[in-house]
C-alpha cells in the first residue's frame, strides 16, 4: 500500500431514534480505539434519543455501489451485526 493512499474510504453510518432517554443531558460521543468506530447520541425528548454509529470502511472493502438507505431486513441484519461488534469490544449495553 502506498503511503499516499488512504486506508479508509468512508464510514458505515447507522442512525435512528431510540425510545430510551439519555441518562444525562447533552451530547455523548463514545469511541473505540480498536475498530476506530464512534457514536453520537443526543436527546430528542424525555424518553427518546437520536443515535448514530460510525464504523470506518477499509479501502479494500469499499464498494461504490453500496451507498444508500438499507431495506428493513438488511437494516435489521446490519444492526445485529454492528451491535455484536460493539458488545465484543466491551461497549456498555445501554449503547447497543
Amino acid at each position: 500500500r502506498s503511503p499516499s493512499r488512504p486506508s479508509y474510504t468512508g464510514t458505515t453510518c447507522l442512525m435512528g431514534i431510540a425510545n430510551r432517554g439519555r441518562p444525562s443531558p447533552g451530547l455523548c460521543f463514545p469511541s473505540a480505539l480498536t475498530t476506530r468506530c464512534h457514536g453520537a447520541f443526543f436527546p430528542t425528548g424525555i424518553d427518546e434519543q437520536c443515535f448514530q454509529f460510525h464504523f470506518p470502511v477499509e479501502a479494500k472493502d469499499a464498494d461504490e455501489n453500496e451507498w444508500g438507505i438499507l431495506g428493513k431486513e438488511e437494516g435489521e441484519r446490519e444492526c445485529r451485526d454492528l451491535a455484536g461488534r460493539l458488545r465484543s469490544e466491551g461497549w456498555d449495553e445501554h449503547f447497543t
Side-chain angles (χ1 to χ4, degrees), residues 1-62:
R1 180 175 75 82
S2 164
S4 62
R5 264 188 89 200
S7 298
Y8 297 95
T9 71
T11 63
T12 292
C13 178
L14 178 65
M15 59 190 300
I17 298 292
N19 61 352
R20 172 178 277 197
R22 292 263 320 118
S24 58
L27 299 171
C28 177
F29 295 102
S31 63
L33 295 176
T34 52
T35 60
R36 299 186 179 135
C37 72
H38 71 277
F41 303 84
F42 56 90
T44 54
I46 294 173
D47 293 322
E48 185 180 88
Q49 67 177 308
C50 180
F51 63 87
Q52 299 175 5
F53 287 101
H54 300 269
F55 294 85
V57 175
E58 292 192 43
K60 67 180 180 58
D61 297 328

